[in-house]
Amino acid sequence: MSLAACGGVDPDSPLGKRQVIFKEMLNVSEDLGGMLRGRIAYDEPVFVEKAAQLDILSKQPWQHFPSVKEEGETSARDDVWQRQERFQELARELEDTTARLVASTTQPPLNDSVLALRVQAVEDACESCHKEFRVY
């Protein structure tokens, strides 16, 4: 029996695939913010690795939004499909913020103030898209 038959999300569906990516993005982003805010130990090589990982992840979920809204429960608002141009614009903004974060990790010594600004920009990009396109 598949998860969909039990009321869960089919992990092979577009929804299931993007949920996995978004969850991974959240976990990596929380680690980066946690290191800069003192919630977890700052480890520069790990920070650099996770920044690169977040940049890769930021480019992945968009391919799993089909051109027509799929059946079933999703936290994506109908606007995702009705306002595709704006949705894609915000996706590119997120990708730009993660690229700038990675660029800030390529020249040691790393500047904590710059990294904090870059991580905040990533968080802000996520939040702006959520405000417009996510059901809470």
Side-chain angles (χ1 to χ4, degrees):
M1 183 185 289
S2 74
L3 284 176
C6 298
V9 175
D10 177 355
D12 293 323
S13 70
L15 174 60
K17 289 178 181 181
R18 67 182 186 251
Q19 282 182 342
V20 167
I21 296 166
F22 283 135
K23 184 173 214 150
E24 179 88 11
M25 287 172 66
L26 177 62
N27 290 338
V28 172
S29 180
E30 286 179 342
D31 285 350
L32 292 169
M35 280 188 225
L36 294 173
R37 295 177 182 113
R39 286 193 307 268
I40 58 177
Y42 180 78
D43 182 323
E44 189 170 288
V46 171
F47 187 94
V48 170
E49 179 183 316
K50 286 187 177 280
Q53 181 182 6
L54 186 60
D55 187 46
I56 291 166
L57 288 167
S58 75
K59 296 166 180 57
Q60 295 179 1
W62 323 119
Q63 65 187 320
H64 300 294
F65 281 92
S67 59
V68 176
K69 184 177 178 182
E70 69 268 62
E71 295 294 319
E73 291 294 316
T74 174
S75 57
R77 293 182 184 178
D78 290 343
D79 283 357
V80 167
W81 292 272
Q82 296 165 358
R83 299 175 49 223
Q84 255 310 291
E85 188 174 318
R86 176 66 176 151
F87 181 69
Q88 292 299 323
E89 177 184 332
L90 291 176
R92 298 300 82 79
E93 286 179 16
L94 174 63
E95 292 172 7
D96 290 346
T97 64
T98 62
R100 285 193 295 275
L101 173 61
V102 169
S104 297
T105 66
T106 60
Q107 298 172 7
L110 302 188
N111 182 319
D112 291 354
S113 298
V114 171
L115 295 179
L117 289 172
R118 298 291 186 245
V119 167
Q120 186 63 54
V122 170
E123 292 170 352
D124 292 347
C126 290
E127 184 178 346
S128 68
C129 190
H130 289 178
K131 282 182 179 179
E132 285 190 50
F133 293 106
R134 185 173 184 214
V135 175
Y136 288 94

Short mmCIF file of all heavy atoms in Angstrom, two decimals, residues 82-129:
data_model
loop_
_atom_site.label_atom_id
_atom_site.label_comp_id
_atom_site.label_asym_id
_atom_site.label_seq_id
_atom_site.Cartn_x
_atom_site.Cartn_y
_atom_site.Cartn_z
N GLN A 82 -1.36 30.57 -10.57
CA GLN A 82 -2.03 31.71 -11.21
C GLN A 82 -1.08 32.88 -11.46
O GLN A 82 -1.32 33.69 -12.34
CB GLN A 82 -3.21 32.17 -10.35
CG GLN A 82 -4.29 31.10 -10.23
CD GLN A 82 -5.28 31.39 -9.12
OE1 GLN A 82 -5.17 32.36 -8.38
NE2 GLN A 82 -6.26 30.50 -8.98
N ARG A 83 -0.01 32.96 -10.67
CA ARG A 83 0.95 34.07 -10.78
C ARG A 83 2.37 33.49 -10.96
O ARG A 83 3.28 33.82 -10.22
CB ARG A 83 0.87 34.94 -9.53
CG ARG A 83 -0.51 35.57 -9.34
CD ARG A 83 -0.65 36.35 -8.03
NE ARG A 83 0.44 37.26 -7.82
CZ ARG A 83 1.05 37.43 -6.63
NH1 ARG A 83 0.68 36.76 -5.58
NH2 ARG A 83 2.05 38.28 -6.51
N GLN A 84 2.52 32.63 -11.97
CA GLN A 84 3.79 31.94 -12.21
C GLN A 84 4.96 32.89 -12.39
O GLN A 84 6.05 32.61 -11.88
CB GLN A 84 3.66 31.07 -13.47
CG GLN A 84 3.52 29.59 -13.24
CD GLN A 84 4.54 28.98 -12.31
OE1 GLN A 84 5.72 28.87 -12.63
NE2 GLN A 84 4.08 28.54 -11.16
N GLU A 85 4.76 33.99 -13.08
CA GLU A 85 5.87 34.92 -13.31
C GLU A 85 6.43 35.45 -11.99
O GLU A 85 7.64 35.47 -11.78
CB GLU A 85 5.42 36.07 -14.22
CG GLU A 85 6.55 36.96 -14.66
CD GLU A 85 6.10 38.01 -15.67
OE1 GLU A 85 5.32 37.68 -16.58
OE2 GLU A 85 6.55 39.16 -15.53
N ARG A 86 5.54 35.86 -11.09
CA ARG A 86 5.97 36.37 -9.78
C ARG A 86 6.61 35.26 -8.95
O ARG A 86 7.62 35.47 -8.29
CB ARG A 86 4.77 36.98 -9.04
CG ARG A 86 5.09 37.44 -7.64
CD ARG A 86 6.05 38.60 -7.61
NE ARG A 86 6.24 39.05 -6.23
CZ ARG A 86 7.35 39.61 -5.79
NH1 ARG A 86 8.35 39.85 -6.60
NH2 ARG A 86 7.45 39.96 -4.53
N PHE A 87 6.02 34.08 -8.98
CA PHE A 87 6.57 32.95 -8.24
C PHE A 87 8.00 32.65 -8.71
O PHE A 87 8.91 32.48 -7.90
CB PHE A 87 5.66 31.72 -8.42
CG PHE A 87 6.13 30.51 -7.68
CD1 PHE A 87 6.10 30.46 -6.29
CD2 PHE A 87 6.60 29.39 -8.36
CE1 PHE A 87 6.53 29.33 -5.60
CE2 PHE A 87 7.02 28.26 -7.68
CZ PHE A 87 6.99 28.22 -6.29
N GLN A 88 8.20 32.61 -10.02
CA GLN A 88 9.53 32.35 -10.57
C GLN A 88 10.50 33.48 -10.24
O GLN A 88 11.69 33.24 -10.00
CB GLN A 88 9.44 32.12 -12.08
CG GLN A 88 8.74 30.83 -12.46
CD GLN A 88 9.43 29.60 -11.90
OE1 GLN A 88 10.66 29.52 -11.84
NE2 GLN A 88 8.64 28.61 -11.50
N GLU A 89 10.00 34.71 -10.19
CA GLU A 89 10.85 35.85 -9.82
C GLU A 89 11.38 35.68 -8.39
O GLU A 89 12.57 35.87 -8.13
CB GLU A 89 10.03 37.14 -9.93
CG GLU A 89 10.75 38.39 -9.51
CD GLU A 89 9.85 39.61 -9.54
OE1 GLU A 89 8.88 39.65 -10.34
OE2 GLU A 89 10.11 40.55 -8.76
N LEU A 90 10.50 35.28 -7.48
CA LEU A 90 10.93 35.07 -6.10
C LEU A 90 11.86 33.87 -5.97
O LEU A 90 12.79 33.88 -5.16
CB LEU A 90 9.71 34.93 -5.18
CG LEU A 90 8.89 36.21 -4.99
CD1 LEU A 90 7.65 35.93 -4.15
CD2 LEU A 90 9.73 37.32 -4.37
N ALA A 91 11.64 32.85 -6.78
CA ALA A 91 12.55 31.70 -6.79
C ALA A 91 13.95 32.14 -7.21
O ALA A 91 14.95 31.74 -6.59
CB ALA A 91 12.03 30.61 -7.72
N ARG A 92 14.04 32.97 -8.24
CA ARG A 92 15.35 33.46 -8.70
C ARG A 92 16.00 34.35 -7.63
O ARG A 92 17.22 34.32 -7.46
CB ARG A 92 15.22 34.27 -10.00
CG ARG A 92 14.68 33.52 -11.23
CD ARG A 92 15.46 32.32 -11.69
NE ARG A 92 15.22 31.09 -11.00
CZ ARG A 92 14.18 30.25 -11.15
NH1 ARG A 92 13.23 30.51 -12.00
NH2 ARG A 92 14.08 29.15 -10.44
N GLU A 93 15.19 35.12 -6.92
CA GLU A 93 15.74 35.96 -5.83
C GLU A 93 16.37 35.09 -4.76
O GLU A 93 17.45 35.41 -4.25
CB GLU A 93 14.66 36.86 -5.25
CG GLU A 93 14.29 38.01 -6.16
CD GLU A 93 13.18 38.90 -5.60
OE1 GLU A 93 12.88 38.83 -4.38
OE2 GLU A 93 12.61 39.67 -6.40
N LEU A 94 15.71 34.00 -4.40
CA LEU A 94 16.29 33.08 -3.42
C LEU A 94 17.61 32.52 -3.93
O LEU A 94 18.62 32.50 -3.22
CB LEU A 94 15.33 31.94 -3.09
CG LEU A 94 15.92 30.85 -2.18
CD1 LEU A 94 16.30 31.42 -0.82
CD2 LEU A 94 14.97 29.68 -2.05
N GLU A 95 17.62 32.08 -5.18
CA GLU A 95 18.85 31.54 -5.77
C GLU A 95 19.97 32.59 -5.76
O GLU A 95 21.12 32.25 -5.49
CB GLU A 95 18.58 31.07 -7.20
CG GLU A 95 17.68 29.86 -7.27
CD GLU A 95 17.26 29.50 -8.68
OE1 GLU A 95 17.76 30.11 -9.65
OE2 GLU A 95 16.41 28.61 -8.83
N ASP A 96 19.63 33.83 -6.02
CA ASP A 96 20.63 34.91 -5.98
C ASP A 96 21.19 35.10 -4.57
O ASP A 96 22.39 35.31 -4.40
CB ASP A 96 20.04 36.23 -6.48
CG ASP A 96 19.76 36.22 -7.97
OD1 ASP A 96 20.24 35.33 -8.70
OD2 ASP A 96 19.02 37.14 -8.42
N THR A 97 20.31 35.02 -3.56
CA THR A 97 20.80 35.21 -2.18
C THR A 97 21.71 34.07 -1.75
O THR A 97 22.71 34.31 -1.05
CB THR A 97 19.65 35.37 -1.17
OG1 THR A 97 18.88 34.17 -1.09
CG2 THR A 97 18.77 36.56 -1.49
N THR A 98 21.40 32.85 -2.16
CA THR A 98 22.28 31.73 -1.77
C THR A 98 23.60 31.81 -2.52
O THR A 98 24.65 31.48 -1.96
CB THR A 98 21.61 30.36 -1.98
OG1 THR A 98 21.30 30.17 -3.35
CG2 THR A 98 20.36 30.22 -1.11
N ALA A 99 23.58 32.28 -3.76
CA ALA A 99 24.84 32.46 -4.52
C ALA A 99 25.71 33.52 -3.85
O ALA A 99 26.94 33.35 -3.76
CB ALA A 99 24.54 32.83 -5.96
N ARG A 100 25.10 34.61 -3.38
CA ARG A 100 25.88 35.65 -2.69
C ARG A 100 26.46 35.12 -1.38
O ARG A 100 27.57 35.48 -1.00
CB ARG A 100 25.03 36.90 -2.47
CG ARG A 100 24.84 37.71 -3.75
CD ARG A 100 24.27 39.09 -3.50
NE ARG A 100 22.92 39.09 -2.95
CZ ARG A 100 21.81 39.01 -3.68
NH1 ARG A 100 21.88 38.93 -4.99
NH2 ARG A 100 20.64 39.03 -3.10
N LEU A 101 25.69 34.27 -0.69
CA LEU A 101 26.19 33.66 0.54
C LEU A 101 27.43 32.83 0.23
O LEU A 101 28.46 32.96 0.91
CB LEU A 101 25.11 32.79 1.20
CG LEU A 101 25.54 31.96 2.40
CD1 LEU A 101 26.05 32.84 3.54
CD2 LEU A 101 24.40 31.07 2.87
N VAL A 102 27.36 32.00 -0.78
CA VAL A 102 28.51 31.17 -1.15
C VAL A 102 29.70 32.05 -1.53
O VAL A 102 30.82 31.78 -1.11
CB VAL A 102 28.14 30.19 -2.29
CG1 VAL A 102 29.39 29.54 -2.87
CG2 VAL A 102 27.18 29.14 -1.79
N ALA A 103 29.45 33.11 -2.29
CA ALA A 103 30.54 34.01 -2.68
C ALA A 103 31.23 34.60 -1.45
O ALA A 103 32.44 34.82 -1.45
CB ALA A 103 30.01 35.12 -3.59
N SER A 104 30.48 34.82 -0.39
CA SER A 104 31.05 35.37 0.84
C SER A 104 31.86 34.36 1.62
O SER A 104 32.53 34.72 2.59
CB SER A 104 29.92 35.90 1.73
OG SER A 104 29.24 36.95 1.10
N THR A 105 31.83 33.10 1.21
CA THR A 105 32.59 32.06 1.93
C THR A 105 33.85 31.65 1.17
O THR A 105 34.54 30.73 1.60
CB THR A 105 31.72 30.79 2.15
OG1 THR A 105 31.43 30.18 0.89
CG2 THR A 105 30.45 31.10 2.91
N THR A 106 34.15 32.32 0.07
CA THR A 106 35.26 31.87 -0.77
C THR A 106 36.58 32.57 -0.48
O THR A 106 37.61 32.15 -1.00
CB THR A 106 34.93 32.06 -2.27
OG1 THR A 106 34.67 33.44 -2.51
CG2 THR A 106 33.72 31.22 -2.65
N GLN A 107 36.56 33.63 0.33
CA GLN A 107 37.79 34.37 0.59
C GLN A 107 38.04 34.50 2.08
O GLN A 107 37.50 35.38 2.72
CB GLN A 107 37.70 35.76 -0.05
CG GLN A 107 37.56 35.70 -1.55
CD GLN A 107 37.28 37.07 -2.15
OE1 GLN A 107 37.34 38.08 -1.46
NE2 GLN A 107 37.01 37.10 -3.43
N PRO A 108 38.87 33.59 2.62
CA PRO A 108 39.19 33.68 4.04
C PRO A 108 40.02 34.94 4.32
O PRO A 108 40.70 35.40 3.43
CB PRO A 108 40.00 32.42 4.32
CG PRO A 108 40.01 31.63 3.07
CD PRO A 108 39.45 32.46 1.97
N PRO A 109 39.98 35.47 5.52
CA PRO A 109 39.13 35.01 6.62
C PRO A 109 37.68 35.43 6.38
O PRO A 109 37.42 36.50 5.83
CB PRO A 109 39.71 35.72 7.83
CG PRO A 109 40.28 36.99 7.29
CD PRO A 109 40.77 36.65 5.90
N LEU A 110 36.76 34.58 6.80
CA LEU A 110 35.35 34.89 6.63
C LEU A 110 34.94 35.98 7.61
O LEU A 110 35.42 36.03 8.74
CB LEU A 110 34.50 33.63 6.84
CG LEU A 110 34.81 32.45 5.93
CD1 LEU A 110 33.78 31.35 6.12
CD2 LEU A 110 34.89 32.87 4.48
N ASN A 111 34.07 36.84 7.15
CA ASN A 111 33.60 37.96 7.95
C ASN A 111 32.23 37.61 8.52
O ASN A 111 31.25 37.53 7.77
CB ASN A 111 33.54 39.21 7.06
CG ASN A 111 33.10 40.44 7.80
OD1 ASN A 111 32.21 40.40 8.63
ND2 ASN A 111 33.74 41.56 7.47
N ASP A 112 32.16 37.44 9.83
CA ASP A 112 30.90 37.05 10.48
C ASP A 112 29.77 38.04 10.20
O ASP A 112 28.63 37.63 10.02
CB ASP A 112 31.08 36.92 11.99
CG ASP A 112 31.95 35.74 12.38
OD1 ASP A 112 32.32 34.95 11.50
OD2 ASP A 112 32.27 35.62 13.59
N SER A 113 30.08 39.32 10.15
CA SER A 113 29.05 40.33 9.90
C SER A 113 28.46 40.18 8.49
O SER A 113 27.25 40.27 8.30
CB SER A 113 29.62 41.74 10.06
OG SER A 113 30.06 41.93 11.37
N VAL A 114 29.33 39.95 7.52
CA VAL A 114 28.87 39.76 6.15
C VAL A 114 28.07 38.46 6.05
O VAL A 114 27.00 38.42 5.42
CB VAL A 114 30.05 39.76 5.15
CG1 VAL A 114 29.61 39.34 3.76
CG2 VAL A 114 30.72 41.13 5.12
N LEU A 115 28.56 37.40 6.68
CA LEU A 115 27.84 36.13 6.64
C LEU A 115 26.45 36.27 7.27
O LEU A 115 25.47 35.73 6.75
CB LEU A 115 28.63 35.03 7.36
CG LEU A 115 29.96 34.64 6.73
CD1 LEU A 115 30.63 33.57 7.57
CD2 LEU A 115 29.80 34.19 5.29
N ALA A 116 26.37 37.01 8.37
CA ALA A 116 25.08 37.22 9.03
C ALA A 116 24.12 37.95 8.10
O ALA A 116 22.93 37.60 8.02
CB ALA A 116 25.27 37.98 10.33
N LEU A 117 24.61 38.95 7.39
CA LEU A 117 23.77 39.67 6.42
C LEU A 117 23.31 38.76 5.30
O LEU A 117 22.15 38.81 4.87
CB LEU A 117 24.52 40.87 5.84
CG LEU A 117 24.78 42.04 6.77
CD1 LEU A 117 25.71 43.06 6.10
CD2 LEU A 117 23.46 42.70 7.16
N ARG A 118 24.21 37.91 4.83
CA ARG A 118 23.88 36.99 3.72
C ARG A 118 22.85 35.95 4.16
O ARG A 118 21.92 35.64 3.42
CB ARG A 118 25.13 36.30 3.19
CG ARG A 118 26.17 37.23 2.61
CD ARG A 118 25.70 37.86 1.31
NE ARG A 118 26.77 38.63 0.73
CZ ARG A 118 26.74 39.95 0.57
NH1 ARG A 118 25.68 40.63 0.94
NH2 ARG A 118 27.75 40.58 0.02
N VAL A 119 23.03 35.39 5.36
CA VAL A 119 22.07 34.40 5.86
C VAL A 119 20.72 35.08 6.08
O VAL A 119 19.67 34.51 5.75
CB VAL A 119 22.59 33.71 7.13
CG1 VAL A 119 21.49 32.92 7.83
CG2 VAL A 119 23.76 32.80 6.79
N GLN A 120 20.72 36.29 6.61
CA GLN A 120 19.46 37.02 6.81
C GLN A 120 18.77 37.26 5.47
O GLN A 120 17.55 37.15 5.36
CB GLN A 120 19.70 38.34 7.53
CG GLN A 120 18.41 39.06 7.90
CD GLN A 120 17.56 38.27 8.87
OE1 GLN A 120 18.03 37.87 9.93
NE2 GLN A 120 16.30 38.01 8.52
N ALA A 121 19.54 37.57 4.43
CA ALA A 121 18.96 37.78 3.10
C ALA A 121 18.30 36.50 2.58
O ALA A 121 17.22 36.55 1.96
CB ALA A 121 20.03 38.27 2.12
N VAL A 122 18.93 35.36 2.83
CA VAL A 122 18.33 34.08 2.44
C VAL A 122 17.02 33.88 3.20
O VAL A 122 15.99 33.53 2.60
CB VAL A 122 19.30 32.90 2.69
CG1 VAL A 122 18.59 31.56 2.52
CG2 VAL A 122 20.52 32.99 1.78
N GLU A 123 17.06 34.08 4.50
CA GLU A 123 15.85 33.91 5.31
C GLU A 123 14.74 34.85 4.86
O GLU A 123 13.57 34.47 4.79
CB GLU A 123 16.18 34.12 6.79
CG GLU A 123 17.08 33.03 7.36
CD GLU A 123 17.62 33.34 8.74
OE1 GLU A 123 17.43 34.48 9.25
OE2 GLU A 123 18.25 32.44 9.34
N ASP A 124 15.10 36.09 4.54
CA ASP A 124 14.12 37.07 4.07
C ASP A 124 13.52 36.66 2.72
O ASP A 124 12.32 36.84 2.49
CB ASP A 124 14.75 38.46 3.95
CG ASP A 124 15.11 39.07 5.30
OD1 ASP A 124 14.66 38.55 6.36
OD2 ASP A 124 15.87 40.07 5.30
N ALA A 125 14.35 36.10 1.84
CA ALA A 125 13.86 35.64 0.54
C ALA A 125 12.86 34.49 0.72
O ALA A 125 11.82 34.46 0.06
CB ALA A 125 15.02 35.21 -0.36
N CYS A 126 13.17 33.58 1.62
CA CYS A 126 12.23 32.48 1.91
C CYS A 126 10.92 33.05 2.44
O CYS A 126 9.83 32.69 1.98
CB CYS A 126 12.83 31.52 2.94
SG CYS A 126 14.20 30.53 2.34
N GLU A 127 11.03 33.95 3.40
CA GLU A 127 9.84 34.50 4.04
C GLU A 127 8.98 35.28 3.05
O GLU A 127 7.74 35.18 3.08
CB GLU A 127 10.23 35.40 5.21
CG GLU A 127 9.04 35.93 5.98
CD GLU A 127 9.42 36.80 7.17
OE1 GLU A 127 10.59 36.78 7.58
OE2 GLU A 127 8.52 37.48 7.68
N SER A 128 9.58 36.05 2.17
CA SER A 128 8.78 36.84 1.23
C SER A 128 7.99 35.94 0.29
O SER A 128 6.83 36.22 -0.02
CB SER A 128 9.65 37.83 0.46
OG SER A 128 10.53 37.18 -0.42
N CYS A 129 8.57 34.83 -0.13
CA CYS A 129 7.85 33.89 -0.98
C CYS A 129 6.74 33.20 -0.18
O CYS A 129 5.62 33.04 -0.66
CB CYS A 129 8.81 32.88 -1.59
SG CYS A 129 8.04 31.86 -2.87
#
